[in-house]
Structure formats: structure tokens, C-alpha cells
């Protein structure tokens, strides 16, 4: 692993230049945090003095708990590159993660680098809690980052860069396909193709062609299936500047009709999907050869291969791209004690070879998939989907909007409302959140 070759540790002069640049950039900022300008300048001055004296610099990072076992390897690799930096990475549980970050930053504390799910970027940027990256990445080639990179861009400025991407792929049960004599999905297939396949594989009361989640307990997987259908039909959830819900347009109404119709009229989904989650309900049916197709991520294949080696399955890019994509980003809070070192670490970790060797989730750069375990058919399929994927809305209101949309989907699926009524009601309620 070529992680330290050709790299130089930062000199005191380089650190001084970085601190001066950040100080100048900070003159135009306005972050509602409780840390005073004098306190921040004092902290940066201490960091500068430590670097000038050759003393170790402190750098703290918050990441998700699933990184815990990988942290020692990252720390060791970075020590070989920057021996004068004491790197501390805290692995925190995802429950309450962002709330803790917001509270801590507003109080003047927090890490130097905060890893964030792209769906939470809007909340943090809206509260002015993150530093912009544009001056730091002006010489970087961003062309091989997956589509998730756009989730870090607000009003033309980047506030984070992704190290992880994810994207939906379609899993299909080969045993069920073979028993019915149905060909596997082909490249370039459409949602109409998917529906026809699902009809051929459905035996009411015994097995079903496709599994979907429609429970408010599993919003991410509801939209993993719904969002690509909306986009494939030429619709979207919001207008371009995310100020108005557009789910009452003719294109969106037809997309919702297709999604809910899988249950109501076509009856190619299991009878309980209104309250089903993907992991607890649909995936076991897929494993038991009772559901032929399901949307998922790369983690599903790991689960299948580890715990169900006899399951005969395949995977492919979802019908008619773009697929639903997501990921995690490195951000630098406005209260970072050592922002210069923070940006340096992030740019190092995002180098393709470093990222490919050290990440434990699918890397957000295409070049990184040539290293480590990522050059496999599964991960290449996920990345192919992610490179042309799209993101769900990044507005802070999206969390509550998802709940509204799912409730109205359930109303439609239960026959309490027509598709048109449900779409009008979800649009009206979502617009109330966007006011």
C-alpha cells in the first residue's frame, strides 16, 4: 500500500500560510456559534505555535460506529504521512449522531472533521455550521467522484466531499426465475419490463414478483424504490431550488400510480407491504424464494454470501437510470480547532489509492475501486449505478416530508384516497414545511 510515498510533512511555514488563508476566508463568514472570534483566534494561534515549535498537532474526527475496527489502521497509515499529527477518531453511534453534532458545534465545540450522511448536509449548512471547501479543492480533479458529490454543494459552494457512496441495485432470485422459465433482467430494461417480469413470477398467496417497503419505519428503503420510479417518469419531489413540492404534476401522479399499483391493481407484491420494511420483511421472503426481485444496496449481497450461501441470486443496475444514490461526506465545522490539518487529512484520505485501501464502504471515487476489495462485479455494479445516480432532496425539511409522503402512499394503497387526492395532499403538506 503506497500511502506515505512522495508525501511531505507540513512545515511551520505551510501551517502559517494555511492559518492566514483560513483567517482571511473567515472574515466574510457568519456562523451562529457561541465560540468568540477571540477564542477561535487564540486556538489557531496555539496550533500555529505548536507547529512552529515542532510540537505534535491534535486532530479529531467523528465517524460512525461501524468504523471502530478500522480506526487503528487509519491512524497508523496517517502517522506514516504526518508524524507530527496526533489523530483521534471517535466512532459514534448513528442514533442521535447529527443532533449531538449540531448541539456541540452550536456550543463552540466539536471535532475538526465531522463525517456526515449526505441527507443531513442541508440541516448543517442551513445553520451555518460548516466551512466551505472551495479554496481547499480548487486544484483537485473532481471528475471521478460519484453523483453524491452534488449533495455537498449549496449555492454554488462545496461544504463537504464524499468518501463513501451508495446506490440502489436490483437483486433477483435466480431460483424463481429459472423455475418459471423467465429470462434474467437485461441491460437497458425499463420499469414496464420489470412489471411484466413481476407478473410472470407472481402466484397469488404463494410468491410475488417484486418486494417493496411502504412503512414509515423504513423511509430510506421506501424511497430507494420510489425515487427512481419518480425520476424515470420525468418527475421530481421538488422544484430546482427546493422551494416547492411538485408531486401533484401529471408525471409525478403517474409515478405514484405505478408504485402504489404494484400493490393495489397489479398485485405483484406481498399483501402486507403497507407495513413492511425491507430488511425485516422483504429480504427474508427473497431468501425463502417467495419474492423474486427487490431493491437493495451492496450490504445485502454481503448478508446473502455470509449467511445464506445456498441462495442463488443475481444483481443488476435498476431499470431505466438514474438510481437512488447516497453516501457520507467529510465536513469541517466552523468550530474546528485545527481546520488546516482537517482539510489536509481529508484530501489525503480521498486520494484514490488511500481511499481504496482504507475505506470499509464503497468509495465515492471511481479511481479508488481499482484498489483493495472494490474491483469486483458487485461493487462495480453499485458504482456504475452511483456514478449516474441522483440524490433525494437535501432540504432540512426532507426528513418530515418523507413521513408525509409515506402516510399518503399508505392511504392510496389502502383505498382511503385516490392517487390524485393523495398526491395533492402530500404536495400541500410538504409545501407547508417549505414555507
Amino acid at each position: 500500500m503506497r500511502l506515505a510515498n512522495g508525501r511531505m510533512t507540513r512545515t511551520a511555514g505551510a501551517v502559517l500560510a494555511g492559518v492566514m488563508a483560513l483567517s482571511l476566508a473567515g472574515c466574510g463568514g457568519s456562523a451562529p456559534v457561541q465560540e468568540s472570534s477571540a477564542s477561535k483566534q487564540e486556538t489557531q494561534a496555539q496550533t500555529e505555535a505548536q507547529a512552529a515549535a515542532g510540537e505534535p498537532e491534535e486532530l479529531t474526527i467523528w465517524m460512525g460506529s461501524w468504523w471502530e475496527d478500522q480506526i487503528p489502521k487509519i491512524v497508523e497509515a496517517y502517522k506514516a504521512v504526518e508524524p507530527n499529527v496526533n489523530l483521534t477518531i471517535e466512532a459514534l453511534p448513528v442514533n442521535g449522531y447529527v443532533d449531538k453534532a449540531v448541539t456541540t458545534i452550536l456550543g463552540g465545540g466539536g471535532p475538526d472533521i465531522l463525517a456526515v450522511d449526505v441527507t443531513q448536509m442541508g440541516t448543517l449548512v442551513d445553520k451555518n455550521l460548516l466551512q466551505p471547501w472551495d479554496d481547499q479543492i480548487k486544484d483537485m480533479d473532481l471528475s471521478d467522484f460519484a453523483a453524491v458529490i452534488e449533495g455537498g454543494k449549496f449555492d454554488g459552494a462545496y461544504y463537504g466531499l464524499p468518501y463513501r457512496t451508495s446506490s440502489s441495485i436490483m437483486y433477483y432470485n435466480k431460483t424463481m426465475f429459472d423455475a418459471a422459465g423467465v429470462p434474467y433482467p437485461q441491460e437497458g430494461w425499463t420499469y414496464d419490463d420489470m412489471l411484466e417480469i413481476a407478473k410472470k413470477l407472481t402466484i397469488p398467496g404463494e410468491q410475488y414478483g417484486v418486494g417493496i417497503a411502504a412503512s414509515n419505519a423504513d423511509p430510506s428503503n421506501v424511497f430507494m424504490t420510489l425515487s427512481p420510479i419518480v425520476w424515470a417518469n420525468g418527475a421530481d419531489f421538488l422544484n430546482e431550488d427546493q422551494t416547492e413540492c411538485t408531486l401533484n404534476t401529471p408525471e409525478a401522479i403517474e409515478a405514484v400510480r405505478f408504485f402504489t399499483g404494484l400493490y393495489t391493481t397489479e398485485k405483484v407484491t406481498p399483501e402486507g407491504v403497507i407495513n413492511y420494511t425491507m430488511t425485516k420483511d422483504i429480504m427474508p421472503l427473497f431468501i425463502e424464494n417467495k419474492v423474486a426481485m427487490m431493491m437493495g444496496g451492496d450490504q445485502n449481497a454481503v448478508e446473502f454470501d455470509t449467511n445464506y450461501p445456498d441462495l442463488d441470486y443475481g444483481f443488476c443496475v435498476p431499470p431505466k437510470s438514474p438510481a437512488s444514490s447516497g453516501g457520507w461526506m467529510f465536513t469541517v465545522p466552523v468550530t474546528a480547532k485545527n481546520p488546516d490539518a482537517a482539510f489536509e487529512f481529508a484530501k489525503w484520505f480521498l486520494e484514490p489509492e488511500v481511499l481504496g485501501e482504507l475505506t470499509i464502504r464503497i468509495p465515492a471515487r471511481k479511481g479508488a475501486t481499482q484498489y483493495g476489495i472494490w474491483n469486483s462485479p458487485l461493487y462495480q455494479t453499485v458504482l456504475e449505478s452511483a456514478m449516474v445516480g441522483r440524490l433525494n432532496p437535501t432540504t432540512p425539511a426532507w426528513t418530515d416530508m418523507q413521513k408525509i409522503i409515506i402516510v399518503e402512499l399508505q392511504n392510496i394503497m389502502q383505498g382511503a384516497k385516490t392517487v390524485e387526492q393523495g398526491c395533492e395532499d402530500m404536495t400541500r403538506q410538504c409545501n407547508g414545511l417549505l414555507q
Side-chain angles (χ1 to χ4, degrees):
M1 183 178 358
R2 225 173 20 88
L3 300 182
N5 292 356
R7 303 281 299 180
M8 293 182 62
T9 58
R10 285 169 290 126
T11 63
V15 173
L16 176 60
V19 171
M20 290 176 64
L22 284 168
S23 298
L24 289 171
C27 291
S30 57
V33 295
Q34 296 176 10
E35 184 183 33
S36 68
S37 298
S39 174
K40 188 169 184 179
Q41 290 175 358
E42 181 180 354
T43 300
Q44 291 186 353
Q46 290 174 349
T47 301
E48 176 188 338
Q50 288 175 340
E55 298 178 10
E57 297 179 63
E58 301 298 325
L59 179 65
T60 60
I61 303 175
W62 285 7
M63 302 183 78
S65 58
W66 49 92
W67 284 90
E68 186 168 3
D69 293 341
Q70 186 71 356
I71 287 174
K73 297 178 183 178
I74 298 173
V75 171
E76 180 183 3
Y78 198 58
K79 180 61 71 172
V81 174
E82 295 288 359
N84 203 44
V85 175
N86 288 335
L87 177 61
T88 300
I89 303 177
E90 298 182 39
L92 304 176
V94 70
N95 288 340
Y97 179 86
V98 172
D99 290 339
K100 177 180 179 180
V102 169
T103 300
T104 305
I105 297 170
L106 285 173
D112 296 300
I113 294 178
L114 175 67
V116 179
D117 187 306
V118 66
T119 61
Q120 302 292 343
M121 286 293 294
T123 296
L124 295 166
V125 173
D126 187 60
K127 295 180 182 294
N128 297 319
L129 301 183
L130 302 179
Q131 297 190 30
W133 285 62
D134 294 71
D135 288 343
Q136 302 292 331
I137 61 176
K138 57 187 177 182
D139 296 325
M140 285 183 66
D141 179 8
L142 305 181
S143 62
D144 76 336
F145 278 90
V148 66
I149 191 173
E150 293 304 311
K153 195 173 185 179
F154 295 83
D155 295 327
Y158 286 100
Y159 288 86
L161 284 186
Y163 58 88
R164 171 187 176 183
T165 190
S166 62
S167 189
S168 54
I169 58 176
M170 182 68 79
Y171 287 91
Y172 54 93
N173 185 306
K174 289 185 175 182
T175 298
M176 296 178 68
F177 273 73
D178 293 345
V182 175
Y184 302 148
Q186 301 295 309
E187 182 178 355
W189 66 321
T190 67
Y191 278 101
D192 287 338
D193 295 331
M194 186 199 78
L195 177 57
E196 290 305 311
I197 292 171
K199 289 178 179 179
K200 294 176 182 178
L201 292 167
T202 296
I203 303 175
E206 295 183 23
Q207 66 180 49
Y208 295 89
V210 62
I212 61 175
S215 169
N216 240 323
D218 192 18
S220 62
N221 281 314
V222 174
F223 286 89
M224 180 180 286
T225 304
L226 174 63
S227 297
I229 294 173
V230 170
W231 298 327
N233 211 50
D236 209 340
F237 296 96
L238 301 177
N239 61 1
E240 188 172 352
D241 59 2
Q242 301 195 102
T243 58
E244 182 180 356
C245 182
T246 55
L247 286 172
N248 60 351
T249 63
E251 295 82 4
I253 290 172
E254 289 309 307
V256 171
R257 192 187 311 280
F258 182 93
F259 177 86
T260 56
L262 295 173
Y263 176 78
T264 59
T265 57
E266 306 296 347
K267 302 187 186 303
V268 294
T269 64
E271 294 178 3
V273 296
I274 290 177
N275 297 308
Y276 276 8
T277 67
M278 194 65 76
T279 302
K280 291 184 179 180
D281 301 296
I282 298 300
M283 197 166 80
L285 293 174
F286 183 86
I287 293 167
E288 295 166 6
N289 301 323
K290 294 181 179 179
V291 163
M293 293 180 286
M294 56 169 272
M295 286 283 204
D298 59 287
Q299 72 277 2
N300 297 105
V302 175
E303 172 76 8
F304 296 153
D305 293 344
T306 302
N307 297 318
Y308 304 96
D310 295 330
L311 178 64
D312 192 10
Y313 73 94
F315 48 83
C316 61
V317 173
K320 195 176 180 181
S321 295
S324 178
S325 294
W328 280 67
M329 297 193 161
F330 282 138
T331 68
V332 177
V334 292
T335 53
K337 302 297 187 294
N338 198 348
D340 190 56
F343 285 116
E344 286 296 315
F345 171 87
K347 289 188 286 185
W348 168 80
F349 193 86
L350 291 172
E351 292 176 4
E353 183 175 353
V354 177
L355 183 60
E357 295 285 359
L358 290 180
T359 187
I360 59 172
R361 295 292 189 267
I362 295 181
R365 299 194 74 168
K366 187 174 183 179
T369 62
Q370 303 306 310
Y371 304 95
I373 66 172
W374 309 112
N375 193 16
S376 72
L378 169 64
Y379 297 125
Q380 290 297 318
T381 299
V382 175
L383 187 67
E384 178 186 351
S385 180
M387 293 299 290
V388 296
R390 285 181 64 174
L391 302 175
N392 285 314
T394 54
T395 172
W398 178 240
T399 299
D400 290 331
M401 287 178 59
Q402 291 179 91
K403 298 175 184 177
I404 290 170
I405 294 169
I406 292 174
V407 167
E408 295 303 333
L409 291 174
Q410 292 175 332
N411 285 334
I412 296 168
M413 295 169 80
Q414 291 172 324
K417 295 182 180 180
T418 66
V419 174
E420 289 79 6
Q421 289 172 332
C423 288
E424 284 293 344
D425 287 347
M426 65 177 71
T427 300
R428 173 179 51 79
Q429 294 175 72
C430 289
N431 279 333
L433 296 175
L434 295 169
Q435 300 302 317

